[in-house]
Amino acid sequence: MLLAGAAALVSCGKDDIGSDAPEVPGANGDITLEIGFAPRTRVSTDADFKSAWKTGDEIGVFAVRRTSGGSGSLSATAANNYINNVKLTYTGTSWTAATPLYYPPGTDVLDFYAYYPYDANANDPTAITFNVKNDQSGTTSINSTDRSNYSLFDLLTAKSDNSGNGYGKSTTSILLKFSHALAMVQVSVPSGGKGFGPGENLTVTLRGVKPGAALN
């Protein structure tokens, strides 16, 4: 699943299409996103729990349009959201958008919402469903590449509204800080005896852990 730091996405500005004018983030209507992770809340973890984007990872982005100083919220109707479930794909160094992203004309502002993993059918952001595979030790084939179920089935969400002020065309970039919506559980199994590790057929069962969640 950003290597160190944040990866930026710059999409084509609507006002720049067909012109030779230099592109200035925000000023020409284009939206620039910096995609990263919120600070960890755990005291310590091992390498398996490090948050990092991997090539091919996909996120979905929504945006609510409202007047400056006004209010707005995500709509269950796709047409009512200014940006609705646009897919962004990580190339290994940057993010690419499936469709161009740009600000609305005038002084209206945007609030941004995003989630991982991307679901093409999630057109209603108030009812996105997410299910975790009970067995995360295997892999799933995506675009002919086997991907770890552990990495694929980690629900992440992000929201950025500029402290309630929203973002307009004068904004240089929007930071989307993703955080884990579900608890990550690490199990340590003691050795069976001096010099011996656990048997290869050992099964560990976690009871009462819900493998699903609803994002609303």
Side-chain angles (χ1 to χ4, degrees):
M1 303 168 4
L2 195 69
L3 308 174
L9 160 75
V10 181
S11 63
C12 180
K14 184 178 182 181
D15 298 341
D16 269 350
I17 298 176
S19 76
D20 295 323
E23 185 167 305
V24 179
N28 299 309
D30 60 293
I31 293 174
T32 301
L33 299 175
E34 291 185 54
I35 300 168
F37 294 98
R40 295 182 184 179
T41 56
R42 301 178 186 84
V43 176
S44 63
T45 62
D46 63 19
D48 289 339
F49 281 75
K50 179 181 179 182
S51 295
W53 299 112
K54 292 184 178 178
T55 301
D57 275 343
E58 298 172 341
I59 64 175
V61 175
F62 296 86
V64 173
R65 178 178 179 176
R66 59 184 174 85
T67 59
S68 180
S71 61
S73 60
L74 283 169
S75 172
T77 304
N80 292 338
N81 298 317
Y82 181 73
I83 294 174
N84 197 82
N85 202 31
V86 171
K87 180 174 70 174
L88 274 61
T89 304
Y90 188 55
T91 65
T93 56
S94 62
W95 293 85
T96 59
T99 59
L101 303 178
Y102 47 82
Y103 287 103
T107 59
D108 283 359
V109 296
L110 300 176
D111 297 333
F112 291 85
Y113 301 80
Y115 72 99
Y116 167 93
Y118 176 76
D119 181 356
N121 296 315
N123 288 316
D124 177 2
T126 67
I128 296 176
T129 58
F130 175 81
N131 293 293
V132 179
K133 283 187 179 293
N134 287 318
D135 181 4
Q136 297 186 39
S137 63
T139 60
T140 297
S141 179
I142 297 180
N143 297 325
S144 301
T145 300
D146 288 335
R147 303 285 301 281
S148 166
N149 286 339
Y150 175 79
S151 295
L152 286 173
F153 294 91
D154 182 13
L155 180 61
L156 301 171
T157 61
K159 176 185 177 181
S160 190
D161 64 358
N162 194 22
S163 300
N165 296 313
Y167 295 96
K169 292 180 67 175
S170 62
T171 306
T172 55
S173 65
I174 299 99
L175 179 60
L176 287 175
K177 292 183 179 180
F178 280 84
S179 58
H180 300 277
L182 300 175
M184 298 181 71
V185 179
Q186 182 175 9
V187 178
S188 297
V189 181
S191 61
K194 195 171 186 179
F196 295 93
E200 62 180 14
N201 295 321
L202 174 68
T203 298
V204 175
T205 302
L206 303 179
R207 300 189 182 279
V209 178
K210 293 183 179 180
L215 179 64
N216 188 338

